[in-house]
Amino acid sequence: MISLVAFIGALELGFGYALMALGLFISFRILDIADLTVDSSFTTGAAVCAVVTVAGHPFLALICAMIAGVLAGGITAFLHTKMKIQAILAGILSMTGLYSINLRIMSGKPNISLARVDTIFTLGDEVFGKQYSALIITFIIALIMGAFIIFFLGTRLGRSVRATGDNEIMVRSSSINSNMTKTIGICIANMLVALSGAIICQSQKFVDIKMGIGVVVIGLASIITGEVIFGKKSIKRHVIAVILGSVVYRIIIAFVLNFGINQSDLKLLSAVIVGIAISYPTIKNSLKGGRRRA
Amino acid sequence: MLKIENVKKTFGKGTINEKTAIDGINLHLEKGDFVTVIGGNGAGKSTLFGAIAGSFICDEGNIILDNEDITFQKEYKRARYIGRLFQDPLWGTAPNMTIEENLSLAMKGGAISLRYGIRKKEVELFKEKLSLLGLGLEDRLKTKVGLLSGGQRQAVTLLMSTIVTPKLLLLDEHTAALDPGTADKVLDITKKIVSENNITTMMITHNIDSALRLGNRTIMMNNGKIVMDLKGKERDEMTTEKIIEMFGVKTDRMVLKQ
Ligand SMILES: Nc1ncnc2c1ncn2[C@@H]1O[C@H](COP(=O)(O)OP(=O)(O)O)[C@@H](O)[C@H]1O
Ligand SMILES: [Mg+2]
């Protein structure tokens, strides 16, 4: 078993990273685009947040992080829609370029500590009490963003974005401007990812230039976990599943760590889980085929 | 209404695969015309539709619709007043979205609107239009389109293309992938919608019989050119047999009368 503190910690992380998973949900599931910008835009959000928080504006820091995320997504979207670069490569280009930009934002330092400044969490401690404030704050933000996504995808514009990912051929010959819908989707996705980075940065009071490495895989693991456990019948259901998937994923990780698995082996574990989950249908089929041949 | 002037399109210019798909097409349509288009595989029929709808910019020539030069207009902008259906029923609708969500995408205005949900008035309109199809879809507004049959999907696509009356409707063998019974049904619905709204229509078909029976004008294409243009009395007197004889269509699937 894990301690209550570890459990609450897992929930906090789960809701914090849920925003990132929601971002990936928009790009990977709704738009059906493998956007790898995320590994860097997560850090961009955290870095911008750290700088503004240190300057004494913890709330403004979150807004700035979101704007930075939109810009990061905007670059990828521009490369993909206007320059006609494959989505995956466009994302890799942005991700690579953003690494340098992130370092610049952090004035060349590989990490920044927020140990002695106010964050939304230290301010929250006074309102909600020390033990649960981080959980309450991350939960509320995840709730707001989840509601925002459900709302957005139900608007006319959101439906156009969904159609773009659902049937590219249809959209190409329709009055939907797919360059615009893709751009909006990718920008919102990275806005959420950057906000997630900002929240994690403030809650851990620390930003590291490498903190975004592998978040794509963590996000996918969360999405798949959520889909398997909670289903994806409707948009509402799917969004809730992604948020809860992120939480469940963190609880699983907390248990795994408790078993004595090395922190540094976690990424391998996540990658293996995602690999198996995604290839599950193929593996099942080939097993069936193998049996028939035998 | 529609003026196509000397339009040319060559694919793969300068490569060994160079192919002039349409080669100097001239065509004038009057408002309310229903033109059927026939011609063998690779004759350039779909490419002609692509040129009109803006899937690509033509190498030469001009396209004028309703006194507006749309030669260089983007495809999604033309789609506001040009409806288009393809052979594949999977092409025209978003499978993971419901019937009403799909139809809502076809409504005019508010493409970037942030209004949540679909207006009651629109839902009423969808129900009314769907009931005219006679497929019982008016009670299934919240059904995902992916669960419908090919014929049902094609009917929904047709509705999406015409719910805001288009200036021009392009039908590219839109019943060819359906079983004969369903194809007839979708064709009947097409005729009804087109005549009730007096929509200027072009329809590609490989069925010469129905090409001569439907509409008021028939053109035949070959090698990127219009090789026959039938209207009025001349058309009334034309028969499938004569066309086959004149153009020596032999093994082509055009001779299939179904
Ligand atoms: N996008 C394309 N790229 C290259 N060649 C094409 C393309 N579209 C059509 N073609 C070629 O142009 C010719 C006309 O094709 P198409 O208009 O589809 O004929 P039809 O619809 O009459 O069967 C064919 O030889 C076809 O191979
Ligand atoms: Mg064709």
Side-chain angles (χ1 to χ4, degrees):
Chain A
M1 276 310 289
I2 56 174
S3 67
L4 181 64
V5 175
F7 184 71
I8 292 175
L11 295 185
E12 284 166 28
L13 279 179
F15 286 120
Y17 276 101
L19 303 170
M20 183 270 294
L22 280 176
L24 256 66
F25 163 74
I26 302 269
S27 45
F28 278 74
R29 286 291 189 256
I30 297 296
L31 277 178
D32 200 15
I33 282 178
D35 175 20
L36 300 185
T37 318
V38 174
D39 267 22
S40 275
S41 59
F42 185 82
T43 314
T44 306
V48 167
C49 172
V51 172
V52 181
T53 306
V54 167
H57 307 286
F59 285 100
L60 184 63
L62 301 184
I63 309 282
C64 291
M66 287 163 81
I67 293 170
V70 169
L71 294 177
I75 297 167
T76 306
F78 173 79
L79 292 175
H80 174 50
T81 61
K82 292 288 179 195
M83 298 294 114
K84 309 286 175 214
I85 298 175
Q86 274 177 30
I88 196 153
L89 184 56
I92 290 173
L93 290 177
S94 297
M95 177 185 75
T96 308
L98 275 175
Y99 184 86
S100 304
I101 293 178
N102 291 343
L103 260 179
R104 289 229 173 224
I105 294 170
M106 293 160 68
S107 311
K109 289 175 288 188
N111 49 58
I112 298 176
S113 165
L114 306 186
R116 268 180 287 279
V117 294
D118 271 338
T119 67
I120 57 166
F121 296 101
T122 60
L123 298 174
D125 285 349
E126 288 159 27
V127 185
F128 304 113
K130 234 188 166 66
Q131 189 172 14
Y132 294 106
S133 86
L135 176 57
I136 293 169
I137 291 170
T138 50
F139 172 75
I140 290 174
I141 294 175
L143 198 68
I144 292 172
M145 286 301 154
F148 162 71
I149 294 301
I150 291 169
F151 167 82
F152 173 71
L153 293 176
T155 64
R156 169 71 190 270
L157 179 59
R159 287 196 294 273
S160 301
V161 173
R162 283 166 57 201
T164 307
D166 199 17
N167 191 345
E168 174 119 42
I169 302 175
M170 162 201 176
V171 167
R172 211 182 303 142
S173 63
S174 81
S175 59
I176 296 171
N177 178 355
S178 60
N179 282 352
M180 179 194 74
T181 50
K182 278 183 188 172
T183 302
I184 289 174
I186 295 174
C187 285
I188 291 182
N190 283 285
M191 175 191 84
L192 289 165
V193 171
L195 177 62
S196 180
I199 299 288
I200 297 299
C201 156
Q202 287 203 2
S203 82
Q204 306 196 331
K205 293 184 151 282
F206 192 72
V207 51
D208 184 283
I209 188 68
K210 294 204 169 79
M211 73 189 282
I213 293 177
V215 288
V216 168
V217 174
I218 295 171
L220 286 179
S222 306
I223 291 173
I224 294 168
T225 307
E227 286 172 350
V228 169
I229 301 178
F230 305 104
K232 49 177 181 178
K233 264 216 160 86
S234 63
I235 288 290
K236 214 179 277 175
R237 181 81 167 257
H238 208 161
V239 167
I240 293 170
V242 169
I243 295 175
L244 295 181
S246 170
V247 173
V248 172
Y249 175 80
R250 285 294 154 183
I251 294 173
I252 294 172
I253 295 293
F255 270 99
V256 170
L257 285 176
N258 210 41
F259 274 124
I261 284 195
N262 208 321
Q263 179 95 35
S264 60
D265 290 333
L266 274 184
K267 288 213 162 89
L268 175 63
L269 185 71
S270 307
V272 169
I273 292 173
V274 170
I276 291 176
I278 291 178
S279 54
Y280 177 68
T282 316
I283 296 171
K284 207 170 69 177
N285 278 343
S286 69
L287 283 181
K288 260 193 224 149
R291 225 175 289 138
R292 258 182 51 190
R293 251 178 274 126
Chain B
M1 168 66 203
L2 175 69
K3 277 191 202 150
I4 299 170
E5 287 167 344
N6 193 33
V7 163
K8 273 191 194 170
K9 176 69 192 178
T10 303
F11 288 110
K13 241 189 191 137
T15 71
I16 46 164
N17 294 320
E18 181 169 309
K19 169 81 197 174
T20 300
I22 43 174
D23 192 6
I25 299 269
N26 285 289
L27 186 66
H28 290 202
L29 263 61
E30 300 298 331
K31 177 144 184 50
D33 267 353
F34 189 146
V35 181
T36 53
V37 184
I38 54 176
N41 269 332
K45 307 181 295 294
S46 297
T47 306
L48 175 61
F49 277 20
I52 299 170
S55 305
F56 50 81
I57 301 294
C58 303
D59 300 334
E60 276 178 51
N62 291 300
I63 300 168
I64 290 139
L65 183 64
D66 232 6
N67 295 323
E68 189 186 354
D69 189 334
I70 59 169
T71 312
F72 299 103
Q73 197 173 53
K74 289 221 165 71
E75 183 169 20
Y76 76 88
K77 287 196 176 148
R78 297 190 209 188
R80 285 178 203 148
Y81 43 80
I82 299 178
R84 195 174 179 195
L85 263 75
F86 297 94
Q87 181 172 340
D88 192 331
L90 304 184
W91 281 18
T93 42
N96 290 306
M97 296 174 70
T98 64
I99 293 180
E100 63 175 7
E101 284 173 337
N102 269 281
L103 288 171
S104 77
L105 293 173
M107 297 304 289
K108 235 201 186 102
I112 55 166
S113 152
L114 285 176
R115 162 192 260 275
Y116 185 79
I118 300 165
R119 285 170 223 248
K120 270 219 171 68
K121 238 173 56 193
E122 289 182 347
V123 174
E124 289 310 312
L125 176 72
F126 299 162
K127 276 193 181 157
E128 181 199 320
K129 296 282 183 184
L130 283 165
S131 69
L132 296 178
L133 300 179
L135 300 170
L137 295 178
E138 62 274 18
D139 303 321
R140 300 176 65 188
L141 280 173
K142 302 230 183 278
T143 302
K144 286 191 179 167
V145 167
L147 299 173
L148 305 181
S149 70
Q152 289 171 327
R153 275 184 84 159
Q154 203 65 318
V156 171
T157 309
L158 187 61
L159 208 51
M160 286 174 69
S161 302
T162 54
I163 199 156
V164 175
T165 306
K167 289 180 182 174
L168 179 67
L169 182 62
L170 302 174
L171 307 167
D172 191 343
E173 302 197 52
H174 71 303
T175 63
L178 309 175
D179 68 77
T182 316
D184 284 345
K185 179 126 207 188
V186 172
L187 204 55
D188 281 342
I189 297 169
T190 308
K191 280 190 277 190
K192 200 166 125 192
I193 291 180
V194 165
S195 69
E196 273 170 13
N197 300 291
N198 194 30
I199 302 172
T200 311
T201 303
M202 294 178 77
M203 182 176 93
I204 298 173
T205 173
H206 58 261
N207 185 325
I208 303 177
D209 264 353
S210 77
L212 291 175
R213 224 174 32 228
L214 281 170
N216 63 338
R217 184 171 172 187
T218 298
I219 60 173
M220 179 163 177
M221 289 185 66
N222 189 32
N223 255 329
K225 292 192 164 74
I226 295 177
V227 291
M228 184 183 73
D229 188 348
L230 294 170
K231 335 175 220 207
K233 193 155 174 282
E234 196 188 3
R235 183 171 184 262
D236 295 339
E237 289 166 356
M238 187 54 72
T239 63
T240 306
E241 285 70 25
K242 276 197 221 162
I243 287 183
I244 292 173
E245 198 180 309
M246 271 160 57
F247 293 94
V249 199
K250 287 187 292 281
T251 57
D252 201 283
R253 69 194 172 104
M254 263 181 69
V255 295
L256 292 174
K257 287 201 203 164
Q258 284 192 343

